[in-house]
Amino acid sequence: MAKLFVNFVIFGAFVAVLVNGFDKEAAMDTFVDNLSECQEEVGAQHSDLEDLVDKKPSSTMEGKCLRACIMKKYEMMDDNGKFSKDVAEAHAQEYTEGSEDKLKIAHEIIDACSSIEVDDDHCEAAEQYGQCMKEQAMAHNIDDAFGY
């Protein structure tokens, strides 16, 4: 379960260190509910969830659509399949509790990934956004535990 939460944070562009005051348990519960709904909605298999947990590229279209569904549930992707920069910044503000250092890094990652060209297909676009987030997190030395 902890791996799922870490992937949620990376995938959703919540690239900040989780701090006191953030209710991890409630966030995890919401994420698991959304993941379950999305899995059913797109027909994703257990292997698609494993790809997500293991931070691997999706091996199926259903896996890519699972990621798009999750992004849409968190309003990180709009109805046109585009990254919602304003929403990502609001999430970053919440999860960092306004820490200037953490927000600076979050904004750099959000800026980089919100400006990439993506496929018109929402599922493919979600995969591309997720890959960008992963690459940017690594470039900013953010590890799985979100330590700096």
Side-chain angles (χ1 to χ4, degrees):
M1 280 303 194
K3 278 184 158 183
L4 280 174
F5 185 69
V6 168
N7 281 290
F8 154 67
V9 175
I10 289 175
F11 184 75
F14 308 135
V15 294
V17 174
L18 299 177
V19 294
N20 292 333
F22 173 69
D23 189 343
K24 293 181 201 178
E25 188 174 326
M28 178 61 131
D29 289 345
T30 300
F31 176 67
V32 170
D33 290 345
N34 285 336
L35 187 62
S36 179
E37 288 175 21
C38 286
Q39 181 181 11
E40 185 175 323
E41 183 179 318
V42 303
Q45 302 299 312
H46 183 72
S47 60
D48 298 313
L49 296 174
E50 288 176 354
D51 286 345
L52 179 68
V53 170
D54 293 338
K55 295 180 257 359
K56 294 180 182 176
S58 296
S59 58
T60 67
M61 184 55 81
E62 290 82 7
K64 293 175 184 180
C65 292
L66 176 68
R67 295 166 194 229
C69 180
I70 292 168
M71 286 186 77
K72 288 178 180 181
K73 292 253 186 221
Y74 286 95
E75 299 178 347
M76 298 289 292
M77 178 183 280
D78 66 21
D79 291 336
N80 296 318
K82 299 301 177 199
F83 188 86
S84 298
K85 184 176 177 178
D86 291 341
V87 172
E89 289 176 348
H91 285 306
Q93 179 74 31
E94 176 184 354
Y95 292 115
T96 63
E97 292 187 338
S99 166
E100 286 185 35
D101 293 340
K102 295 171 191 170
L103 272 173
K104 181 179 184 269
I105 292 170
H107 286 298
E108 288 174 8
I109 294 171
I110 291 166
D111 286 343
C113 294
S114 65
S115 64
I116 65 171
E117 290 292 322
V118 294
D119 197 282
D120 288 337
D121 181 275
H122 296 194
C123 300
E124 292 291 346
E127 183 75 11
Q128 292 163 339
Y129 288 129
Q131 184 63 34
C132 180
M133 293 293 164
K134 180 179 176 181
E135 290 169 2
Q136 287 294 314
M138 290 171 51
H140 285 84
N141 296 316
I142 299 173
D143 65 16
D144 283 353
F146 294 91
Y148 288 78

